[in-house]
Amino acid sequence: MKKRKFMALALSCVMVCSLAACGGKDTGASQPEPAPAPAPAEKTDDNAASNADADSQTPADTSADASQAADITLWTYPVGSWGDAATVSGMISNFNAAYPDIHVTVEYLDYTNGDDQINTAIEGNQAPDLVLEGPERLVANWGAKGLMVDLGDLWTDEAKSLIYDSVQNACKSNDGVFYEYPLCMTAHTMAINRDIFEAAGALQYLDETTGTWTTENFQKAVQAVYDYGQKNVGAVYCSGQGGDQGTRALINNLYGGTFTNAEHTQYTANSEENIKALELLKSMDGINFDASIAGGDEVNMFCNGTFAMAFCWNATQEKNNTDQGNINFDVLPMAFPSETGEAQLCGGIWGFGIFDNGDPAKIAAAKTFIDFMANDEKQAVESVKASNFWPVKDLGDIYEGDALMSEYAKFIPYMGDYYQVVGGWAEARTAWWNMLQQVGSGTDVKTAVEEFVTTANAAASAQ
């Protein structure tokens, strides 16, 4: 199926989803170009695919011989149930039914010290063969350092014809080398406490069907909720980088600003639009800059009713917190407000990369593993559902009957540019929350933002 068909599928899915029930989380973490056919997904054990009978698996076409023999290691970050040993073991059993001589050992990482574990392994010449994560690490970090294998041979003409353009762009370096083969994606949203908004008479300022609103109506809604008595409507959290995709999307969308240039070579957050957005947020009743919390704290405070809205949100957040009994109100997911009402949402992309450990047999086996997990007709559905996110190409409606995932599918077409592959990304994320703290403590907005851009661009040019 060619890309132009994706748009039709995406739009038809949005129309269907507008009739579905309400339904969000962030891992860690996307103009809407034509989006891949939204087949809802996100991170939860409930959404993890039941492991199909191994005998029913059909090997994917691959350049590697099915009889190849190798012992390889896969290190996986907790991307949905790819962090669950039972789920991953089941998928590896499917793989071994097709490739019995490739033995896969798995190490499960977390986002607290996973990077340290991999960096230590690199320094000791013991890097894993395979890693499941996103372009920020696979492309912009380890790939940029020359540590990863070029996966160009997996990116066949057919693969390029099926996979969403901005996903392709995120998976390759500025000089065109593919260091990642993608599996799944999501669009991060915000959310409101619908019960409070209804009581405050603020629902009139948003479109519940499309989950969109304008900047002007966002201001009116926040003021209405504040006047109703909910003094903490929302918070620009900034104690660290956790959940910073939410604050970036909020500020970039309000007046159409950008975080980087289109070439992903320079940070542009010092635009007039972003300065205007920060000044607006600083002036609004009910919106506070809070240097004591990060994204995860904001989620908890939204779920317990402290805040009436959350900027760090997606379908997994709602699924997990609902399953844990943390939410006793109606959550309404929303796109970030913009002047036109058409948002550019930050997205997450996850897939596989291969460290170049100098062993051709292991590299070939690792490519065979990727091809099977991402391209085998039956296994690819299981692999994506295990992530609890959406596929990067059309796999059909893999979440048919799941009301929550269908509700969030309508946001996939709003995915904007995946800019998280700019050089100096780690330094820029630190500089971002430092900048927000400065604005919150009274520093002139333009001064604080210029300092951020200077710091971030210095880090980008140093790479």
Side-chain angles (χ1 to χ4, degrees):
M1 181 177 295
K2 301 299 180 184
K3 293 188 198 83
R4 64 171 60 95
K5 294 184 180 180
F6 283 156
M7 188 59 176
L9 283 167
L11 292 175
S12 65
C13 183
V14 169
M15 290 186 286
V16 171
C17 290
S18 68
L19 303 175
C22 289
K25 169 156 184 173
D26 138 60
T27 309
S30 330
Q31 79 301 218
E33 300 176 41
E42 263 6 49
K43 185 180 190 172
T44 11
D45 290 338
D46 290 344
N47 281 335
S50 58
N51 295 312
D53 181 67
D55 293 336
S56 70
Q57 295 294 332
T58 302
D61 289 335
T62 175
S63 58
D65 190 284
S67 65
Q68 65 184 290
D71 294 335
I72 60 175
T73 54
L74 164 68
W75 288 18
T76 173
Y77 284 79
V79 182
S81 291
W82 278 89
D84 174 68
T87 301
V88 175
S89 293
M91 292 190 289
I92 291 176
S93 293
N94 296 340
F95 173 70
N96 284 144
Y99 299 97
D101 296 324
I102 300 177
H103 307 127
V104 185
T105 302
V106 185
E107 179 83 17
Y108 298 93
L109 307 176
D110 59 38
Y111 285 105
T112 301
N113 54 22
D115 290 356
D116 290 338
Q117 288 177 259
I118 289 186
N119 290 334
T120 298
I122 292 170
E123 292 170 3
N125 295 317
Q126 297 293 322
D129 298 301
L130 280 159
V131 176
L132 174 66
E133 229 301 278
E136 298 93 319
R137 291 173 172 84
L138 300 180
V139 178
N141 185 1
W142 301 313
K145 294 175 181 176
L147 300 173
M148 309 299 286
V149 171
D150 181 350
L151 302 181
D153 53 342
L154 289 174
W155 283 89
T156 62
D157 289 343
E158 181 182 8
K160 291 177 180 178
S161 74
L162 297 176
I163 296 173
Y164 183 32
D165 281 340
S166 71
V167 174
Q168 292 188 46
N169 293 334
C171 290
K172 61 184 177 183
S173 63
N174 288 338
D175 55 358
V177 179
F178 284 103
Y179 290 120
E180 177 170 348
Y181 195 83
L183 175 68
C184 56
M185 61 188 287
T186 194
H188 299 296
T189 70
M190 61 175 294
I192 65 169
N193 182 322
R194 189 187 181 282
D195 296 356
I196 291 177
F197 270 62
E198 182 175 34
L203 290 178
Q204 63 180 305
Y205 300 117
L206 53 88
D207 187 326
E208 290 192 67
T209 300
T210 63
T212 60
W213 46 0
T214 64
T215 299
E216 181 181 1
N217 282 335
F218 170 75
Q219 295 175 69
K220 291 177 180 178
V222 170
Q223 189 64 51
V225 173
Y226 179 83
D227 291 342
Y228 171 72
Q230 178 78 25
K231 300 308 179 185
N232 292 312
V233 184
V236 179
Y237 48 87
C238 49
S239 72
Q241 69 184 33
D244 57 358
Q245 76 281 347
T247 55
R248 296 195 309 269
L250 173 64
I251 291 163
N252 289 163
N253 273 283
L254 282 170
Y255 292 108
T258 59
F259 199 72
T260 75
N261 61 6
E263 297 76 25
H264 302 150
T265 58
Q266 189 174 27
Y267 293 90
T268 58
N270 58 338
S271 65
E272 291 183 8
E273 294 86 355
N274 286 339
I275 291 171
K276 184 178 179 180
L278 281 161
E279 289 174 340
L280 171 66
L281 292 169
K282 192 70 172 64
S283 71
M284 291 176 66
D285 291 333
I287 301 294
N288 303 304
F289 283 67
D290 195 333
S292 69
I293 62 173
D297 306 304
E298 185 231 30
V299 168
N300 294 334
M301 295 172 79
F302 172 67
C303 292
N304 68 25
T306 302
F307 297 138
M309 62 173 60
F311 303 124
C312 180
W313 200 256
N314 63 28
T316 302
Q317 294 285 15
E318 180 164 343
K319 175 64 176 174
N320 289 351
N321 282 287
T322 299
D323 289 348
Q324 295 165 17
N326 298 332
I327 300 175
N328 61 3
F329 55 86
D330 190 2
V331 174
L332 182 63
M334 295 291 297
F336 288 87
S338 70
E339 287 190 292
T340 63
E342 296 182 3
Q344 302 291 304
L345 300 181
C346 282
I349 298 170
W350 293 269
F352 299 98
I354 301 174
F355 275 101
D356 188 353
N357 290 324
D359 187 327
K362 287 178 179 287
I363 291 172
K367 287 181 179 180
T368 300
F369 181 88
I370 294 172
D371 188 61
F372 180 83
M373 289 296 165
N375 293 330
D376 179 85
E377 183 177 352
K378 295 179 180 179
Q379 180 58 46
V381 173
E382 288 194 38
S383 299
V384 174
K385 290 180 74 173
S387 75
N388 304 311
F389 292 123
W390 282 266
V392 295
K393 60 185 177 182
D394 176 35
L395 295 179
D397 187 1
I398 67 174
Y399 295 105
E400 183 178 4
D402 187 322
L404 184 146
M405 298 308 296
S406 295
E407 173 71 2
Y408 281 84
K410 67 188 178 188
F411 296 106
I412 297 295
Y414 295 122
M415 279 184 66
D417 178 42
Y418 195 92
Y419 55 73
Q420 297 97 300
V421 291
V422 182
W425 182 247
E427 294 85 352
R429 294 185 75 185
T430 298
W432 177 255
W433 58 263
N434 285 336
M435 180 273 291
L436 294 178
Q437 286 189 359
Q438 291 173 15
V439 171
S441 63
T443 300
D444 174 72
V445 171
K446 182 174 176 56
T447 300
V449 174
E450 290 292 347
E451 181 179 330
F452 161 75
V453 168
T454 299
T455 301
N457 280 329
S461 63
Q463 287 196 344

